[in-house]
Structure formats: C-alpha cells, structure tokens
Amino acid sequence: MTTSTPATRPETPRLERDESGIAILTLEGRDGHPFILDLDAVSALEAIVESLEDREDIRGLVIRGAGTDVFCAGADVDAIAEMSDPDEIMETSARGQELFSAIEELPFPVVALIHGACMGGGLELALAAHARLVSDATATRLALPEVRLGILPAWGGTTRLPEVIGLKAALPYLLTGRTMYPSRARSLGLALECPPKELLMTRGRQRLEAMIEARHHGHHGGPASREPGIVDYLVDEIPPATRAYLALAERQVKKETRGLYPAPLALLDVLRRGRNKSRETRFRLEREALARLLPGSVSKHLVSIFRRSRPKDRGGLYAKKFAGVRSIRRVGVVGAGVMGRGIAQLLIEKGLEVRLVDPFSEALVRASRSLRSAVEKAVRRRRGGRVEVRATLDRLMLGTDYSGLAAADLIIEAVPEIPSLKEKVFESLTEVLGEHALIASNTSSLSVAALAAHTDRPGRVAGLHFFNPAPKMPLVEVVRHDGADELTLATLVQFAQSIGKTPVLCSDAPAFVVNRLLAPYLLEAVSLLADGAEITTVDAAARGFGLPMGPFALMDTVGLDVVLHVCRHLESVPDVGVSTPDLIVAMADKGLLGKKAGMGFYRYGKRRPRPHTRKELIAFDPTLDESHFAARLGRQALLDRLLTVLAKEGERVLDENIVESRDDLDLATIYGMGFPPWTGGLATWMRENHWESESS
Ligand code: NAD
C-alpha cells in the first residue's frame, strides 16, 4: 500500500511512501509536460522537503523522473530571461541552493534515479542526492549547459560537480556545458551504476537499503563511486597543482572564446576563489557571479537565442500544428555525394529509413564506406555499442535506380548543381513516386520554382537546403517558391525540427539567405587583399570578432570552385551587386581549390596552414597591384569593412522579405554561418550598431 502526500500543486511533483518506509518523490511535470524547476515546482519541492525533515516513518528517499524520457529539463529559461535585478537574482539562486542543501541534509539517505534528460537545475538537484543511478538508455543524457546561456550553475552545481567527480573531470562539463552520457557518468563516479531503465527502481532501492544499513554503522556520506587517479588527486588536493590547473584552463578558455564570453572565466574565478573555503562562501561566490553575468548583454543575447530557437516561440509555420501534416518515416535521398551521404547519415541516426540512390555504383560504395565509419564514430562518441551501429546502418538501403522510391514520404534531391540534370531527375521521380510524396531539392542556388515545374506536383515541392557537413550544421533553409502549398512547407519545417535542425523559411531568391550574405562578405575579403591586406590579418580580424574562421580559411574549406559557382550565379542577378574577382577565377583555373586540393589561399600539409605570399598571389593574378592601402588598416578597420558589407546585404535580405523576420535572420546567420552568438545574430547586431533596415 502507498500513501500520498499532496504537494502545494497536486500534479507536480508527487510524494509517496511505501509500507517499508521508503519515500518516492516523482518529478511530475504539469499537463504531461517535462518537469522543469519553475517557481511553482520549487515551492512545491520546498514544502515536500520541509515535510520530510521530521518524518520518523521514513527511512530513505528516492527521487525519480516521471516523463518517459525526462528526469528534469532544468530551470525555467523564460523566468531567467526576465531577471535583471542583481538582488532578485541572488535571492532566487539562494533559494535553490537552500532547497538542494535541505535535500542533502535530510536525516536519511537520498538516491536519485535518472532516466532521460537531466539538465541544468535537474542535475544540480541530483548532485545534492547522496548517490545517483543512471539508466543506460540512449535517451539518458546529463549536462550543466548554463555557460551556453552566458551564466553558470548557481544552485550549487558549480560547487558540487567537482566535489562528486573531481575538479579535473568536472571542468570540461562546467566550461562547455557538454553532454555526459551514462557510461561516462559511471566511469567518472557521478553514477553508482547504469542499469537498464526497467531495473532502475529495483537497483536504486537495493542501493538505498545498503546506504541505510551503512548509516546504522555510522557511515553517513554516499557510497564511494570512483577511484581518483594520481592527477585527479593532485588537482583536487594539492593547492599549487589546483592553481596551475585552473590557470591552464583559463588560458585555454581565453584562447577558445577570445575573451568574448564572460561566463566560463567567471566560473573559473568562482572555483579559484572558493577552493578550500566553506560551502557557504562557495555558494555566495556562485550567486554573486550569476548576479553579474545574467544582466549582461552576452547572457541576454544567448538566452534570447535559446528562446527564439524554440518552435513554440517562433510562431507561424514553425509552431503551427497543421491537421494534415504527414509524419515523414521513409526518405529517398537522390545523389550519394558529399551532401547526399551527410543527409543520409543524419536521417538514419535520427531513426528514419533511407534509400540512397546514385546511378554510379562506385559512388554508392564510397558512400556506404564513409557512412559506416561515420556512424561507428558517432555511436562510439555516445559510448554506444555494436548493436546500435548495426540497427542504425540497417535503416539504410542503397540503389542505383529510382524503382525503390515508390514508398517514400519525401525525396531529398542532392545531385550536382546542373539545372538540366536536376530537371531530368525531377521528371524521372514524378514517374515513380507515390501520389503524396514530397520532393525537396538541396540546391544551393537554383530556382526551386523552375525545378518544381518539372514535376506533376509543384505544390508539393520545396527547397531543403542543408549545409555541409549536414549531420553537424544546425541550419536548414526551407525554400518557399510561389506555388508551394502551406501544408508542404509546414511538413518540411516540422520534419527539419524533428531531426534536430533549426529551419528558417526563406523565399526562392538567388542563393537564399546564408550564401547570399556570404558571397559579398567573402569577396570583400578578396578586395581587401587586392588593397594590400594580408590573408592572415584579415582572417584574424574575423576570428577576433568570434567568427569560427576567417573568410580566406572559409573559402578554402568550402572550395574555391563552389565560391566561384555561387559568385557566377549571383553575378547574373541584378541588385545583388556581386562581381567575381579575377583572383578567384585564376586560382580556380589553376586548381587551387582550397583544402581538398591541398592548396588555396593557404597551403595545407602536415604543419600549420601557410598563407600564400603577396608575390605568389600576383603570379596567380597579375592585375593585383602593389598598393598597400589596406595593409595600413588595423584589425578593427578590416573587420569594419567586412561587417559593413555583411550588414548591407543583411539589410537587403530584410527589405526583400527573403526571410520572414529579423529573428529569422539572426538564427540563419548564427546557425548557418557561425555569426557569433554573443552578438545575438546579424539583425540584432545591426540594430545595436545602428544599422536600421528601412523596412523595420
Ligand atoms: P557531389 O558532386 O559530391 O555529389 C553528387 C552525386 O550525385 C554524385 O555522387 C553523383 O554520382 C550523383 N548523381 C549524378 N547524377 C545523378 C542522378 N541522375 N541521380 C542520382 N544521383 C546522381 O555534389 P554535392 O556537393 O553533394 O552537392 C549536391 C547538391 O547539394 C548540389 O545541388 C549542391 O549545390 C548542394 N549543396 C552542396 C553543398 C556542399 O558544400 N557540397 C552544400 C549545400 C548544398
């Protein structure tokens, strides 16, 4: 028999006690939603924990999730977004710290049973338990992602994670917000064990009984779950080693973030100043750091990007639930080249069935090999095993003709960017596809309307522009041509979301959004070069702003042939104002195509890439003169020229309604070209730097 103690809100969270005196706290979300630590949930937990403090009929507590695949989704980001008063921030932080400390100080052992997502505040809660068991399911993942919102875990997590797994192991998780998978949680000592989900409660109770028994013998801490190595011991226990390790981490953080993101540095500062201090002091340091970070512009931008990326906050087709939206289970990917392979990998990893078609069997053999090794690598990274690799690869079928595509819900065409070839493929597909199948082209630049005209279903055709590498790049441009029906677009938007991408709807304009912005930006870099600037200085200026790589390194990565192709395409479009520089043409002609050719603006080899000298560049293109105008410009002036071009093009993209909103431009630039998140995205950066679009 179980008895139930109602919380302040009966539906969240729920406390029961069984006849053996074990209490079970279930983190139940409201109305079937995942459990989040909003103010109501915190109040309810406070009431429950207070009620437990004097219960002599309880011997131990189990905390578990209720949702199928969520333990706790973390704090309420909407509430975080509203906070800017430092006193209020410190008060909220203190409240969480006190609640979790009260759990830690309960007069009986507490075990957290984690299955599914355990994020942020949820992990901080679990860290306050005396032991944790983590299910071995692939859905189970733990993280303290606060730095990604420009803040730090300040409900005790910054203090407790290093206590539980050691400073050395904790730092990467604290500083990057990266995900910890079950077997890693076990090997680092965060979890006592990783049983299958079905055995979590049984094993949890056994562990709890053992802890209750240990308490009878005077042992009050949690059971030991790790054996620190010698380096862990030194970093944790020997002050000079701790200081040296934190200093090393600080140098690394400064190098990686270029000082643009204050949260990881603030976190290191909390750890440094809190070393060997009381819990009270360390918690105070956490609170003070949070109160400094949260009102800052970087955190405001990162929190805002997080919220604006959520389908529910984006409105329109991103959030709308169309009654007729078909779920996409079977996808035909046509073309097994760079993009087709990447898209196929992404889809099978997301559980979809894929038929990859290419008329050239060598292309299929290459694709199959590279897919196998990519899937093995990805599964290994998640610490999954052979069964998962096999199950993933079993979802892939290969074919040299279109005959197996009749049952597909969606076709993604990824054949070379040659209009007549794509048109032929579209015509052939029409003959074999089922009546309701959708066709999407991965074209980077061609008119989707023109391709749609080569099918029997123009309304059910759209662009689905993935970026390279498809499994990694978060953006997908969903291209809407005039004849596309809303249901098709809604289906593709939802499909992109379901495979973990951020879709941005855009019109069927030349080069869509990201390439349209990138082309003039890259060409401005070439014109800086022509004006006398150095390749490395221009690249360094862009990286110093927070872009992942400079424009020359980017051109080498994308391939100069691809850059040339996009430029040529945009050249023919009035208003865009792109004029292909002779240098790019000359380099492409000479086979200096970038990384894939071992040579582009840089030479690639075993050592660090080395830029071509000015003399060498003049040899490629004698029209380059020796003027040294831009050579005298400092990094800031070079950056200003690059950003000015980007902002001007951004303004045009908004004026021409190529995207639906400034938010979409922000998301497209952050997720598609790595525009630095600390800025809030290109549109936000333009507004804050007084680049006002006339249409806004
Ligand atoms: P790719 O040359 O690497 O691969 C194209 C594949 O299509 C080849 O394997 C070829 O054998 C196959 N193919 C040729 N004719 C075919 C047919 N009739 N039916 C089926 N397959 C056929 O090209 P890619 O780089 O993967 O580009 C594919 C598309 O994706 C292009 O439209 C390109 O513009 C776009 N795209 C490319 C990138 C990129 O960085 N490579 C990025 C975004 C979009």
Side-chain angles (χ1 to χ4, degrees), residues 333-341 343 357-360 363-364 366 400 402 413-418 421-422 424-425 441-446 465-469 515 558 562 565:
V333 177
V334 178
V338 175
M339 293 309 292
R341 289 201 288 269
I343 294 167
V357 177
D358 199 297
F360 303 101
L364 287 175
R366 258 200 318 272
T400 48
Y402 302 159
E413 167 275 310
V415 304
E417 194 82 337
I418 303 166
L421 174 62
K422 286 202 193 265
K424 225 168 129 223
V425 168
S441 174
N442 189 46
T443 175
S444 316
S445 57
L446 302 178
H465 186 213
F466 288 85
F467 291 76
N468 188 15
N515 286 344
V558 170
V562 177
H565 182 85

Side-chain angles (χ1 to χ4, degrees), residues 71-282:
F71 174 79
C72 170
D76 178 2
V77 178
D78 294 331
I80 289 177
E82 298 302 318
M83 285 189 211
S84 48
D85 171 30
D87 291 335
E88 186 199 355
I89 294 168
M90 292 226 269
E91 228 170 82
T92 312
S93 165
R95 206 170 150 190
Q97 291 174 340
E98 279 160 25
L99 169 63
F100 295 167
S101 292
I103 291 174
E104 194 175 44
E105 285 155 20
L106 281 170
F108 38 75
V110 181
V111 169
L113 303 184
I114 301 167
H115 166 73
C118 176
M119 296 291 148
L123 182 51
E124 294 185 275
L125 163 65
L127 286 166
H130 304 119
R132 290 147 294 278
L133 274 74
V134 166
S135 88
D136 67 357
T138 41
T140 298
R141 42 197 67 200
L142 305 93
L144 290 173
E146 283 81 352
V147 277
R148 296 185 181 189
L149 297 179
I151 54 178
L152 79 168
W155 280 351
T158 300
T159 299
R160 284 198 181 93
L161 188 66
E163 284 176 1
V164 173
I165 64 173
L167 181 62
K168 181 170 167 285
L171 269 188
Y173 294 97
L174 288 168
L175 291 174
T176 66
R178 77 159 69 140
T179 300
M180 189 187 289
Y181 295 99
S183 62
R184 178 61 94 187
R186 170 71 198 94
S187 65
L188 292 178
L190 188 129
L192 279 182
E193 57 180 284
C194 300
K197 171 187 166 200
E198 296 72 24
L199 290 181
L200 203 51
M201 184 53 98
T202 312
R203 293 294 302 144
R205 277 168 169 276
Q206 286 167 355
R207 291 287 192 168
L208 194 58
E209 288 298 344
M211 287 158 69
I212 293 167
E213 182 62 22
R215 280 206 180 203
H216 287 319
H217 295 91
H219 179 70
H220 279 258
S225 53
R226 71 182 182 110
E227 282 177 29
I230 180 72
V231 181
D232 299 270
Y233 172 79
L234 291 173
V235 172
D236 278 333
E237 304 295 337
I238 309 295
T242 312
R243 279 197 298 275
Y245 198 76
L246 288 171
L248 185 73
E250 185 175 322
R251 275 202 297 281
Q252 188 70 19
V253 165
K254 280 186 175 153
K255 191 170 151 213
E256 276 169 22
T257 65
R258 292 163 205 287
L260 297 167
Y261 296 87
L265 292 172
L267 198 145
L268 285 170
D269 188 52
V270 167
L271 291 171
R272 188 173 29 244
R273 290 167 53 206
R275 262 345 252 178
N276 300 323
K277 300 276 170 35
S278 65
R279 265 282 174 83
E280 204 180 304
T281 304
R282 299 162 83 184

